[in-house]
Amino acid sequence: MTAPRRRSRRARRVREALLGYALVAPALVVFGVFVFYPFAKNIWLGLYRTPPFPGLPKRYAAFDQYERVLTSPEFRNSLRTTVVFVVATVPTGIILGLLMAMLAHQRLRGITIYRTIFSSTVATSIAVASVIFFTLLNPQVGLLTYWLGRQGEPSLLDDPRWALWAVSGVTIWQNLGLSFILMSAGLQGVPDDLLEAAEVDGAGAWSRLRNVVMPLLSPTIFFATIVGSILAFQAFGQIDLLTQGGPLKKTNVLVYAMYDAVFRQNNEGKAAVLSVALFAITLVLTLIQLRLLERRVTYER
Amino acid sequence: MGTQQATDGRPPGSEEHPAGAQVEVRGVTKRFGDATAVSNLDLDVAEHEFLVLLGPSGCGKSTALRLIAGLDEPDAGTIAIGGHDVTDVEARDRDVAMVFQSYALYPHMTVRRNIEFPLRNRKVPKAERDRLVGEAADALDLADLLGRKPSQLSGGQRQRVALARAIVRRPALFLMDEPLSNLDAKLRVQTRAELIQLQRRLRTTVVYVTHDQVEAMTMGHRIAIMSAGVLQQVGPPAEVYARPANVFVAGFIGNPPMNLLDGTVEVGGTTLAVAVGDARVELPPALASLAVSTDARDVVLGVRPEDLTVDPSAPLRATVAVVESLGHERHLVCERPGGELVTSRVTGDDDLPAVGEELGLAIRAEGVHLFDRATGRRIGP
């Protein structure tokens, strides 16, 4: 009596397990081909020094190349540039997005028009944004050049003091739509009755913002900060289109340095090391996010 | 400003509130787009009174409360609290406290911080704050929970925190929007009693919104019944029950609800009767003279289930459809020849008729309510 039942239970378990693997398999194949294999290959590439001329054999260098690239002034400059770029773009973008979201959160007639305008930059690509600003900053005909009173001077993008800030500005503008949408969603997640309770409890607009809205918005802000930072560390399109890493390597952010290493210097090994470094940075950011999300920032209602 | 008096002018340690404010609502109308949520509302709440705003969902009772709180602005009319016109005063300057249906506790703050929040906003010094929070926490049995977050509390505990946050500042007026509706049945009955005690002790004026007539009947000094944005009747629970002002109130108050039967007034010799279908119900003399004085001939006859008794010889015939037994009483739901359902409440251990049995229903003379069918208004005292 018990034996057949046990056998059928085991058969069912095997069937369910097979079904599970079958369902996971397509995703595994895709990830394997496009993520896991390139990732492993990339680490392996970093262990070999690329020959100066194509056709010569690669030389195994163990971690020597990692050490050399990661301690080079070029890498340090690139990392510093990238960090400055991240710090310049991410908080500003979030603050501006939050301000716009608060403005658009009012119940006013026609406010949806503003919401549409505010979020419109998500519909543009970074390439489009770059072309727009490239024109605006043109030393001869650019409107921004005119407003800034820089006619006859080189474009901001060619000025070593300003190039990074100009690229940051373009990036902030392009990210504003996404930031606005995220912050709007966050604001809508703050229950109205909490704000009304605070109002009855005697809280003015500032107190409501500080004591109710911001704490409840902090998970959204935190999420936007981490995701924004990860994306900013990966910035490439605007650099390639606007400055090509220059002038004087002042905008040579990590991903552009990688691109430069592969396509200008034909140095795959160096590029592989740089990409591992970027991976490490992204990993740390992600771990921070996971850790903090678990702990403090979310509020169960 | 009134808020200052409320927090500072109070003798230390006093349980008596010096200024349970009266509320005067005059001609207040509130529209949302095309819909009129509150229409020309006139309402007076006396000092220290517990007034219940009662009505079905969507009747405008919550909007009326929000107008008093200052969370919504009226399109017309004025609101005065404690003798001051506050129509244009912001919610935070009205010296009111509100308990929300959802409790609206700040999820990121501890219980202590939640209760303390109204005091912090009014810049009450720390020592005073600690004392007041302590008092409020003691009053609601929250002393052990002050360090917890709302997410770590049960529904009943959250409800008490919301109450503590409301009473901590000793406002002149409490507004409560269905504060018990998220509690389970047993806890609701218990909290109801605690709320009544709390109000009687603090002597604060309370305006309490509910759709639950049991809460309204048991808690309120007076009940204000609203329907479709219009105030229907205001009065003490017993009076609203005994003398409903119109068909709506008659059908809304009481469980099971009052039987409402369409009828026609017939003059027959010296007496007056209402013909309900093929049955004639004689009116008591007092009501008869009044019915004559109004022109209405089409009326609605109202009878509470307890005023409808089984009497084999009575002219009002019906067939028993359902027998509901609640233990201490039984409800006979009977079907009239026309298909109308009438309910009779039977107490005691009398033999119950069986389902399907035809019987006669007699109406107690004092239990007859008469309404004008055209206007819905009550005829008579």
Side-chain angles (χ1 to χ4, degrees):
Chain A
M1 188 63 219
T2 53
R5 192 189 294 166
R6 192 172 298 156
R7 195 177 310 144
S8 78
R9 192 184 297 168
R10 194 163 136 213
R12 196 176 65 194
R13 217 158 33 199
V14 170
R15 252 195 341 266
E16 281 181 2
L18 283 177
L19 179 66
Y21 287 120
L23 289 172
V24 174
L28 257 176
V29 170
V30 173
F31 274 105
V33 171
F34 292 103
V35 178
F36 302 141
Y37 169 72
F39 180 70
K41 172 88 175 182
N42 187 56
I43 293 174
W44 177 83
L45 267 179
L47 299 172
Y48 287 82
R49 186 146 314 148
T50 311
F53 301 103
L56 295 177
K58 285 180 180 177
R59 205 152 49 77
Y60 180 68
F63 288 98
D64 187 35
Q65 178 162 251
Y66 278 91
E67 195 186 326
R68 190 180 319 173
V69 171
L70 295 182
T71 53
S72 68
E74 192 192 345
F75 172 73
R76 255 182 281 137
N77 170 55
S78 187
L79 185 63
R80 194 186 317 116
T81 306
T82 313
V83 169
V84 170
F85 176 74
V86 170
V87 171
T89 56
V90 177
T92 320
I94 286 171
I95 291 168
L96 287 177
L98 182 58
L99 287 176
M100 275 160 43
M102 285 197 231
L103 286 177
H105 196 58
Q106 323 284 328
R107 284 201 196 97
L108 297 175
R109 193 178 292 267
I111 199 74
T112 45
I113 297 169
Y114 284 91
R115 284 190 197 138
T116 312
I117 295 172
F118 286 170
S119 49
S120 61
T121 69
V122 287
T124 66
S125 69
I126 189 68
V128 173
S130 299
V131 171
I132 292 172
F133 275 85
F134 190 73
T135 314
L136 287 174
L137 290 168
N138 182 294
Q140 273 83 44
V141 298
L143 190 61
L144 277 178
T145 309
Y146 174 72
W147 279 348
L148 294 169
R150 286 179 62 96
Q151 302 100 308
E153 291 173 60
S155 164
L156 280 183
L157 296 165
D158 296 328
D159 186 328
R161 281 171 305 165
W162 291 108
L164 186 59
W165 306 112
V167 173
S168 301
V170 178
T171 308
I172 289 168
W173 182 84
Q174 210 269 327
N175 287 340
L176 215 47
L178 181 64
S179 175
F180 167 75
I181 289 173
L182 281 175
M183 293 303 142
S184 289
L187 277 184
Q188 268 152 33
V190 177
D192 283 343
D193 57 357
L194 282 189
L195 293 172
E196 290 174 347
E199 209 179 327
V200 176
D201 283 344
W206 174 244
S207 170
R208 289 201 293 278
L209 179 68
R210 207 171 62 93
N211 293 311
V212 182
V213 176
M214 291 313 282
L216 293 176
L217 212 55
S218 64
T220 309
I221 293 174
F222 179 71
F223 172 80
T225 307
I226 295 291
V227 172
S229 300
I230 291 174
L231 289 177
F233 269 105
Q234 296 171 352
F236 172 74
Q238 61 273 54
I239 308 289
D240 186 40
L241 285 162
L242 293 173
T243 63
Q244 288 86 45
L248 304 175
K249 299 222 178 250
K250 288 291 186 189
T251 60
N252 193 27
V253 295
L254 271 178
V255 178
Y256 194 82
M258 277 174 225
Y259 168 82
D260 197 56
V262 177
F263 294 98
R264 300 256 174 77
Q265 305 168 18
N266 289 321
N267 193 340
E268 291 164 18
K270 180 177 160 192
V273 172
L274 290 174
S275 75
V276 171
L278 179 62
F279 165 73
I281 292 168
T282 311
L283 182 68
V284 168
L285 284 174
T286 310
L287 289 178
I288 292 173
Q289 177 183 22
L290 290 178
R291 179 65 56 84
L292 282 180
L293 271 189
E294 262 171 28
R295 206 187 295 159
R296 205 180 63 84
V297 217
T298 48
Y299 300 109
E300 191 198 335
R301 287 258 303 148
Chain B
M1 185 119 294
T3 51
Q4 291 304 310
Q5 288 163 8
T7 44
D8 303 331
R10 184 172 38 79
S14 98
E15 287 278 24
E16 271 301 272
H17 194 282
Q22 87 258 32
V23 181
E24 291 158 35
V25 177
R26 290 280 172 273
V28 163
T29 297
K30 176 69 185 176
R31 279 180 285 270
F32 293 106
D34 292 336
T36 303
V38 173
S39 173
N40 199 19
L41 177 69
D42 285 306
L43 188 65
D44 284 281
V45 191
E47 284 175 40
H48 314 306
E49 181 174 12
F50 196 120
L51 181 101
V52 177
L53 272 175
L54 176 67
S57 57
C59 74
K61 57 191 191 302
S62 283
T63 306
L65 194 76
R66 293 170 55 84
L67 289 167
I68 297 173
L71 294 172
D72 283 329
E73 281 178 45
D75 294 315
T78 61
I79 296 167
I81 298 174
H84 302 287
D85 185 339
V86 295
T87 315
D88 298 320
V89 176
E90 279 190 54
R92 64 194 183 105
D93 296 324
R94 287 196 182 188
D95 194 21
V96 299
M98 187 153 166
V99 178
F100 291 73
Q101 183 174 4
S102 63
Y103 312 142
L105 300 180
Y106 310 116
H108 54 290
M109 298 184 193
T110 60
V111 170
R112 172 183 291 282
R113 287 297 295 254
N114 263 285
I115 300 174
E116 212 177 31
F117 191 63
L119 302 175
R120 281 179 176 266
N121 280 317
R122 287 178 172 76
K123 311 247 180 321
V124 176
K126 178 157 172 39
E128 176 80 351
R129 227 159 54 203
D130 287 345
R131 191 179 64 76
L132 290 171
V133 170
E135 278 179 25
D138 285 341
L140 288 151
D141 200 16
L142 290 168
D144 297 337
L145 305 175
L146 286 175
R148 300 237 194 126
K149 291 271 178 72
S151 60
Q152 297 167 301
L153 303 177
S154 70
Q157 288 167 335
R158 287 181 205 194
Q159 210 273 343
R160 297 212 304 275
V161 176
L163 275 176
R165 188 176 68 186
I167 67 167
V168 72
R169 200 163 51 74
R170 304 281 165 79
L173 175 62
F174 272 171
L175 304 173
M176 303 196 186
D177 190 359
E178 310 221 10
L180 305 184
S181 61
N182 285 342
L183 300 179
D184 64 53
K186 199 176 163 195
L187 201 55
R188 199 179 309 161
V189 174
Q190 186 189 330
T191 313
R192 203 164 73 200
E194 285 170 7
L195 261 181
I196 297 170
Q197 285 175 1
L198 193 69
Q199 195 270 336
R200 306 297 188 259
R201 198 172 77 222
L202 298 175
R203 290 175 55 71
T204 313
T205 310
V206 173
V207 180
Y208 183 104
V209 163
T210 183
H211 64 267
D212 181 341
Q213 52 164 310
V214 179
E215 278 176 27
M217 298 295 280
T218 52
M219 298 177 84
H221 293 126
R222 287 190 306 154
I223 304 178
I225 297 145
M226 289 183 74
S227 170
V230 179
L231 185 64
Q232 306 289 324
Q233 185 174 6
V234 188
E239 187 194 312
V240 170
Y241 187 82
R243 304 182 340 99
N246 57 35
V247 173
F248 175 82
V249 177
F252 192 75
I253 298 278
N255 188 25
M258 184 186 279
N259 299 298
L260 296 167
L261 302 165
D262 286 350
T264 319
V265 175
E266 286 180 352
V267 186
T270 55
T271 60
L272 210 65
V274 175
V276 179
D278 50 0
R280 292 183 87 242
V281 178
E282 299 248 328
L283 293 183
L287 201 52
S289 60
L290 267 156
V292 168
S293 68
T294 59
D295 292 336
R297 287 295 165 263
D298 289 337
V299 294
V300 176
L301 181 77
V303 186
R304 295 224 177 264
E306 58 266 34
D307 295 327
L308 202 59
T309 53
V310 179
D311 179 350
S313 63
L316 199 64
R317 309 304 294 180
T319 311
V320 178
V322 180
V323 179
E324 297 173 338
S325 179
L326 276 75
H328 63 295
E329 64 180 43
R330 290 158 192 84
H331 302 157
L332 299 181
V333 182
C334 306
E335 192 176 343
R336 292 262 303 138
E340 290 169 298
L341 293 177
V342 293
T343 309
S344 164
R345 176 187 286 174
V346 184
T347 51
D349 301 323
D350 303 343
D351 285 338
L352 285 171
V355 171
E357 192 177 316
E358 202 202 287
L359 41 72
L361 293 167
I363 298 172
R364 279 202 315 132
E366 312 88 88
V368 172
H369 304 260
L370 216 52
F371 304 95
D372 184 330
R373 207 191 303 168
T375 63
R377 284 208 200 95
R378 178 182 188 83
I379 301 170

